[in-house]
Amino acid sequence: MMNHPHSSHKGTTNVKEEIGKLDRIRISGIGLIAYAFMAVLLIIAISTKTLPNTMIGAIFALVLMGHVFYYLGAHLPIFRSYLGGGSVFTILLTAILVATNVMPKYVVTTASGFINGMDFLGLYIVSLIASSLFKMDRKMLLKAAVRFLPVAFISMALTAVVIGIVGVIIGVGFNYAILYIAMPIMAGGVGAGIVPLSGIYAHAMGVGSAGILSKLFPTVILGNLLAIISAGLISRIFKDSKGNGHGEILRGEREEAAAAEEIKPDYVQLGVGLIIAVMFFMIGTMLNKVFPGINAYAFIILSIVLTKAFGLLPKYYEDSVIMFGQVIVKNMTHALLAGVGLSLLDMHVLLAALSWQFVVLCLVSIVAISLISATLGKLFGLYPVEAAIAAGLANNSMGGTGNVAVLAASERMNLIAFAQMGNRIGGALILVVAGILVTFMK
């Protein structure tokens, strides 16, 4: 029996068509076939311990894991609709992989070294802050900042009082609820938040800071996780609400933002944007050395705001920074979320601390700060949804990484400057207030 050449050709064509269909499925721009090949390569590298403990190894692992986990979370019905979508799924899954020892510790070390040790997080945040601020209209920026900060600070203060009252109602006491829930959850994260906070408590109580830190850490973890989930929920529930600015924080800003011209990417300007963003990071870092009591990011934000307000940077450089910020956020956000899950979210610590009172107080913090900031935001001329996310939930997050996750879950990355503003300055105020309160409440 003879083979027909046409049937062989048809079979080859069908195979090519099927491959073509698979490759049309894109995971953050990468076709499924190419992605599968790289994923297999990553699994082999991890299992054979040939993944380099360098920036290259970290980028390869984090980008591939981040993109595919985010894609899955964004398409899974329950996560997509109720649990923060791809952002929460990426953080939780990577944290679970670490907790169950599926992910080798050396990979965690590589990821953590890149995110924290090499400070990719710092580059990511400063690029995003500079990009979002330079993209805003000068007058709008100043008006928004003046209205945003009171909303953030008053919301934090009122939320702390609510937490204290609920603490009395459920039997843990006003002092405990304030010191171990309200203060750490709004202190601005780990390094700039609960670490110095534990030192303040330890000095006032005459005990070691390590034991206090172990009590504060679970609050930050659960508060951060709940804030991310809540940000995703709020953005979806109020999707068609008049109180939704769809990423614009100041009422009336949306029309001006829509009229802004789209900036076309330029290879050389991308490099210019990188160095300009890094320049502002250096300014903030050096000023922090002179005035160590003020967080470096506060100086970074202030220097960018003043530069924008006085028109000191020519449009060419502003456009360059905006371009570079967009490249970073579109390509590295998912990788950063994977890094957070691998290196910062300790599931063992979180599960060990869970009690119904602890969970209730963390939930109360989330609900209270969301409602209060949304209400105050409306009174101050901000969109309530954006106020609840940037002035409220961002202040219940794990500092810079938490802000990124909260804004990614709500698809409002352009609000990073406001989130950082409230988080860093508000966190510093929390430390000052905590230092006063602990002498009376210990």
Side-chain angles (χ1 to χ4, degrees), residues 73 271 285 306 368 386 406 420:
T285 302
L306 290 175
E386 277 65 27
V406 165
Q420 283 286 94

Side-chain angles (χ1 to χ4, degrees), residues 246-367:
H246 300 282
E248 308 303 336
I249 197 164
L250 188 64
R251 288 182 179 274
E253 184 186 354
R254 204 186 312 175
E255 289 74 17
E256 293 198 26
E261 59 179 290
E262 189 68 29
I263 299 170
K264 294 181 180 179
D266 179 278
Y267 297 125
V268 174
Q269 277 187 274
L270 286 171
V272 174
L274 163 64
I275 201 65
I276 295 291
V278 171
M279 177 191 76
F280 282 109
F281 186 88
M282 290 305 300
I283 291 170
T285 302
M286 289 189 288
L287 287 172
N288 172 249
K289 294 293 181 184
V290 180
F291 305 100
I294 302 174
N295 190 280
Y297 281 102
F299 283 123
I300 291 169
I301 294 167
L302 181 61
S303 62
I304 296 172
V305 168
L306 290 175
T307 301
K308 178 70 178 181
F310 290 103
L312 301 178
L313 206 62
K315 189 175 184 302
Y316 170 82
Y317 295 112
E318 287 191 1
D319 289 352
S320 301
V321 174
I322 293 168
M323 276 181 213
F324 180 70
Q326 290 303 303
V327 168
I328 288 286
V329 73
K330 288 183 183 298
N331 291 285
M332 295 303 292
T333 299
H334 303 163
L336 187 59
L337 295 173
V340 171
L342 288 177
S343 60
L344 285 176
L345 183 58
D346 192 324
M347 295 298 289
H348 294 304
V349 171
L350 178 58
L351 292 173
L354 290 182
S355 67
W356 73 267
Q357 294 99 328
F358 173 73
V359 173
V360 166
L361 288 173
C362 288
L363 281 169
V364 165
S365 180
I366 292 292
V367 173

Side-chain angles (χ1 to χ4, degrees), residues 10 36 169 201 219 295 302 367:
K10 187 177 180 181
I169 294 169
Y201 286 4
T219 307
N295 190 280
L302 181 61
V367 173

